[in-house]
Amino acid sequence: MQSIDKKALNADEVIAITGGFSSLQATFFFCNCMFEIYCGLQAAMPIYSGMRPSFHCSLPNFESNTCNKSCPSYIYPNQHGTTAAEFDLACGLRSWLNSLFKSSYWVGYLVGVIVSGYFFDRYGRKKVIIALCLGQGIFSFLLLFIENIHLLIACRLLIGFFVSGGAIGTHLITLEYMPSSQIAIASQFSQLCFPTGEIFAVFFGYLFKNDWRMLFFVLALPTPFFFIGSIFFYPESFRWLLAVGRITEAEDIARQLAIRNGYPQVAEDLYLINKAKLNSNGPVVYTWKNLFWPSNVLCLTLTLCLICYGCSSVYYGLTYGVQDLSGNIYMNSFLMAVAEFPAFFVYMSANAIGRKYTTALLLLISGVAVIMVPFLLQLAGGLLTIGISLIGKMASTGIFEILFFYQVELFPSAVRGIGIGVCFMFARIAVIISPVFQNLGSISVCIPYLVYAFPSLLAVIVTMIFLPETKGKNLPDTFEDVFYKSISSSDRVTTSHERLL
């Protein structure tokens, strides 16, 4: 058993001497994985609940499943199968409401990303997670009884708001209790849970294809467990308490961590360093403005924002465009989700040839693949089109996997959270407008895919010009470290944390 002298420790040293990845961290990791699976369900379920249904005109002599301005109204054989059937959203301007129904979740998600980060830093992790899980549960069950499409869209928007905050909060508190050496691999494994949720969505989408409300009932069922878990399983983040100067509370939680992980002797002599930093005007505060000055920092930030937008555009463009592919929509969706798993191993390429070149290569593959899809639909169709779509989906997923640690290595400590949040915001914007662009397929099937591909291909060029390589370098503390220093991680000084290990 490890023991310590009576001296003040930092957060990493506390985690090291209390067992590293032990029972408490395993519990957090499990809960985070469950929430990631749920997020995958939430993201994919509108594909099936909002599918374009079979319909025919109320008057005779009109072609089935074809919109016609001369038709006064439409009849849907399966009235309650999808939202488009129940609320008459197949044709005309009302078809845009169906796209808005799919996008509304991501609008709320975008707002939640921006707002929840502030509340997590202002009021702590635990209280905000509890409030978000409560709101998520209330509106998930309320949605089941709504009979108006506009209220349904508003409800999905609010659910997106609460889910995004919950996803960020559970991920944040999980990593804050992880040993530093295991944060990257834990983050990578948790991302595999999202496509797992998409696979579950395929199963439920097929099982309840005749009743869209049952699909959302499935989404509502886990929410009470998330709420109960947020109350009883999660303590407050002692890293956050340490950062805001609430040392006594942080020490109490750290001692509880030691006892729960089987190190009671460590708990007796455990004291923490006061990490709260002040200047003459109070706490040092960094804002989004620090990301856009000087010019090299501006180019770095805008390049990463473009990569996030382009990657997300391809990813969700192919996800929502699955109805355009030949074959069964459920099998195509299943293959699209499975295609994300091999992307987990892309980080090996990032370690071999570097982050910059791997990112540029994957952007090129995803952009070219999505351009090929509409032409193959018209010329070849079938399995070849599906295969190219899977390659594009796999490449875009690989970019996401790299960005999880490339952005951390590019943004310095002082603005790392703000920088990643801004980039993540652009990724959500792409998700919001992807279903809207899908409607442009009524003009030409090529237009949506060209719109999806252009940002990704443009990002290839700016990545090669503006992004520095971070392979083998320490995490930067300042932007000078990013652009001017090249300190290898093998040359760094051994820290007290490493000596304890």
Side-chain angles (χ1 to χ4, degrees), residues 227-271:
F227 176 64
I228 295 171
S230 66
I231 296 175
F232 296 105
F233 289 164
Y234 283 110
E236 183 54 85
S237 169
F238 79 97
R239 285 182 184 267
W240 175 78
L241 292 170
L242 199 60
V244 298
R246 292 161 61 175
I247 306 303
T248 302
E249 296 173 67
E251 289 176 341
D252 289 340
I253 291 177
R255 292 185 183 112
Q256 293 172 19
L257 173 65
I259 294 171
R260 181 167 177 176
N261 284 345
Y263 294 87
Q265 290 184 347
V266 171
E268 296 176 4
D269 300 317
L270 195 152
Y271 301 93

Side-chain angles (χ1 to χ4, degrees), residues 29-90:
F29 182 73
F30 175 78
C31 293
N32 183 46
C33 287
M34 292 300 100
F35 207 94
E36 284 292 336
I37 291 175
Y38 180 76
C39 289
L41 275 167
Q42 282 280 10
M45 206 68 90
I47 297 174
Y48 314 106
S49 64
M51 278 197 304
R52 196 165 186 259
S54 299
F55 63 94
H56 58 84
C57 183
S58 58
L59 298 178
N61 302 322
F62 282 91
E63 186 177 353
S64 298
N65 300 323
T66 302
C67 298
N68 193 305
K69 294 181 179 179
S70 302
C71 181
S73 61
Y74 297 93
I75 297 174
Y76 302 88
N78 186 4
Q79 180 90 33
H80 303 290
T82 67
T83 53
E86 182 163 331
F87 298 105
D88 189 21
L89 308 178

